Amino acid sequence: MPSRPKPTDSLPDRIYAHVVGAILRGDYSNGGKLPTEAQLAQHFAVSRPTVREALSRLRADGLVQARRGSGSYVVRAAAQPPASTLPLRSIGDIERYYAFRSCLECGAAAAAAEMRGADDLRAIRTAFDAVARALRRGGSGIDEDMRLHHAIARASHNPYFVEAIEHGIAPVRQFMEFAGTAAVPDPDGRLSAAVQREHEAVIDAIARSAPVDAAAAMRVHLFAARARIFEHTPAGARAIR
């Protein structure tokens, strides 16, 4: 039986989490076929468009692939970040981490602007819309934001960017959750709107095939993200243990 959803979970979120969990457990191997849309709709007692939204997110995250007339298949097993990922233990680590992340993700954004195809743009925009939905529901949007950055990396069609970003940006979750910044107060929505404007600038540059602009927009976004973390970090979290 699928787990009971949290109150903030949407129906597509619930289906997405269920399928990812099944992949992580090994219920579906690489190349394994998922249940059909009709089967998933019946299992979750939802409409097929709701199932399609969840499957679209899975495709955007590079976990499944649709085969016309056949269904959806697992193309890459979901993976947890490797145990060797360096933890963030100090403010200095945060500074160094964002310097590394800027170099990495600006390069990936520039490559995405050069190499992206129509399917890549659709995946990026699907991920962008998921961030917007999460923020509208009052969630942190951390998972959705990370998936957006993953989609941009995949649009580079460079497996080294993909691997480095999917594993290399994991520390931001550890810091934000520890420091209590995963739910920064945003009563008037200005913070969420700023984040999405930054994302839109990156996506617009990628859509225009403008690598210099894409790198610059990503640098602006990451600088702002770093500033927001420092601005909202409680004093007691400034020495991470």
Side-chain angles (χ1 to χ4, degrees):
M1 292 291 290
S3 60
R4 184 178 180 179
K6 296 179 290 186
T8 56
D9 284 346
S10 69
L11 290 172
D13 289 337
R14 180 185 176 191
I15 298 165
Y16 175 94
H18 173 79
V19 174
V20 170
I23 294 172
L24 286 169
R25 290 192 304 271
D27 295 351
Y28 307 113
S29 61
N30 284 349
K33 185 177 180 181
L34 296 181
T36 65
E37 283 185 5
Q39 289 169 332
L40 287 170
Q42 182 178 16
H43 179 74
F44 288 97
V46 298
S47 67
R48 290 181 68 167
T50 298
V51 171
R52 290 190 195 109
E53 182 177 344
L55 292 174
S56 176
R57 286 181 55 190
L58 289 161
R59 289 195 299 273
D61 284 354
L63 296 175
V64 305
Q65 180 181 65
R67 299 179 188 173
R68 182 170 296 180
S70 180
S72 296
Y73 292 79
V74 175
V75 294
R76 180 172 62 86
Q80 299 292 347
S84 60
T85 296
L86 292 174
L88 301 176
R89 300 187 182 279
S90 68
I91 294 303
D93 284 347
I94 302 299
E95 295 277 10
R96 287 184 286 272
Y97 166 71
Y98 268 92
F100 158 75
R101 187 176 173 189
S102 178
C103 291
L104 179 63
E105 293 209 60
C106 289
E114 292 183 308
M115 303 301 297
R116 61 85 180 158
D119 288 344
D120 298 313
L121 276 179
R122 280 192 289 271
I124 290 170
R125 286 171 173 149
T126 295
F128 173 82
D129 291 342
V131 176
R133 286 194 301 273
L135 295 175
R136 283 197 301 270
R137 293 197 306 268
S140 69
I142 295 174
D143 289 335
E144 292 80 4
D145 192 291
M146 292 178 73
R147 283 192 285 269
L148 172 57
H149 285 261
H150 295 168
I152 291 170
R154 285 191 291 274
S156 74
H157 293 272
N158 185 323
Y160 296 100
F161 276 132
V162 174
E163 184 72 11
I165 288 173
E166 292 195 347
H167 290 158
I169 70 173
V172 75
R173 175 194 298 280
Q174 173 236 330
F175 178 75
M176 292 179 74
E177 290 179 349
F178 182 91
T181 60
V184 173
D186 187 28
D188 56 9
R190 285 188 296 177
L191 179 60
S192 298
V195 171
Q196 287 297 76
R197 282 195 300 272
E198 294 159 18
H199 286 153
E200 283 183 303
V202 177
I203 296 168
D204 174 69
I206 292 172
R208 290 188 288 108
S209 299
V212 174
D213 291 349
M218 181 62 80
R219 186 173 293 108
V220 167
H221 171 53
L222 294 176
F223 180 84
R226 171 190 168 279
R228 283 188 287 267
I229 283 182
F230 280 107
E231 179 181 354
H232 296 287
T233 298
R238 295 187 69 83
I240 303 175
R241 295 179 176 83

